[in-house]
Amino acid sequence: MMPMSTPTRLAVCPGSFDPLTNGHIDIIERSARLFDRVIVAVLVNAEKRPLFEMPDRVAMIREALAHLPNIEIESFEGLLAEFVRSRSARAVVRGLRSTTEFNDEWQMAQMNRRLAPDVETVFLVPAPDVAYVSSRLVKDIARLGGPLEGLVPPGVAARLSRRKTEGPRT
Ligand code: PNS
């Protein structure tokens, strides 16, 4: 009898990652343990101007996640549902930090299901020590010269301090 091949369980971890935080890392590491392969999908923000350009955001993720053999990093534009379908992934993973976040995430999951009915959204709960970390707060702390240790990986902290010494982008 021919052996049945097990399908690869592929998930997409989407986000702006502007920049990557230890909260993101926690969720990506958990995803990499649950799924065979994980694509970290970095949104090309068409509307809001990100602090870091795409090559920098990707480089920071690549550096910080070099220890995970089953992840890939890609940028994407347009609908997440389309991107997920184009890669034949079956799941979208999102970290759920709080009940406040739940409403927006629930709406997004329902909308993505409407757009791609075969794709499931999987919510993962972050480790408590990073559950309050967000890219927005990290950028604020960096701008005001506060300590970044424990919030972002060293490569991100270095880029944030460099950005601060260079002054704001016009
Ligand atoms: O890190 P973020 O900013 O919380 O990630 C949000 C992201 C990238 C997951 C979301 O904005 C997204 O999926 N954008 C792509 C456009 C899209 O599909 N919009 C409809 C969502 S229902």
Side-chain angles (χ1 to χ4, degrees):
M1 211 166 80
M2 287 278 285
M4 294 255 290
S5 64
T6 324
T8 305
R9 287 170 308 167
L10 172 62
V12 171
C13 277
S16 306
F17 303 104
D18 182 39
L20 177 81
T21 68
N22 286 354
H24 292 130
I25 295 177
D26 178 73
I27 295 298
I28 297 166
E29 284 177 342
R30 288 174 198 283
S31 308
R33 287 198 289 271
L34 271 182
F35 293 90
D36 298 317
R37 271 174 60 218
V38 173
I39 299 175
V40 179
V42 188
L43 178 70
V44 178
N45 309 50
E47 287 162 37
K48 54 179 182 180
R49 187 156 155 75
L51 178 66
F52 290 102
E53 300 293 349
M54 181 57 69
D56 271 345
R57 281 187 278 156
V58 168
M60 287 186 268
I61 300 171
R62 185 156 288 132
E63 264 169 44
L65 299 178
H67 60 291
L68 299 176
N70 59 339
I71 69 150
E72 292 145 45
I73 305 152
E74 286 194 54
S75 61
F76 79 103
E77 257 177 299
L79 285 175
L80 173 64
E82 285 304 319
F83 175 79
V84 174
R85 230 202 310 250
S86 72
R87 297 297 179 272
S88 304
R90 295 297 306 278
V92 168
V93 177
R94 294 286 287 169
L96 209 48
R97 285 175 293 199
S98 65
T99 49
T100 327
E101 223 169 40
F102 178 76
N103 282 347
D104 285 349
E105 292 293 334
W106 183 87
Q107 241 182 331
M108 199 160 79
Q110 294 291 2
M111 196 58 85
N112 280 332
R113 174 173 286 164
R114 184 190 166 93
L115 297 167
D118 291 341
V119 174
E120 293 297 336
T121 297
V122 176
F123 292 122
L124 295 184
V125 178
D129 57 325
V130 291
Y132 58 88
V133 180
S134 72
S135 297
R136 184 177 59 83
L137 291 183
V138 159
K139 281 185 279 197
D140 242 25
I141 293 167
R143 188 171 51 82
L144 300 168
L148 293 167
E149 208 183 309
L151 302 176
V152 292
V156 174
R159 278 179 174 84
L160 279 166
S161 342
R162 216 178 301 146
R163 174 107 315 153
K164 187 171 147 42
T165 22
E166 282 167 3
R169 269 175 42 181
T170 51

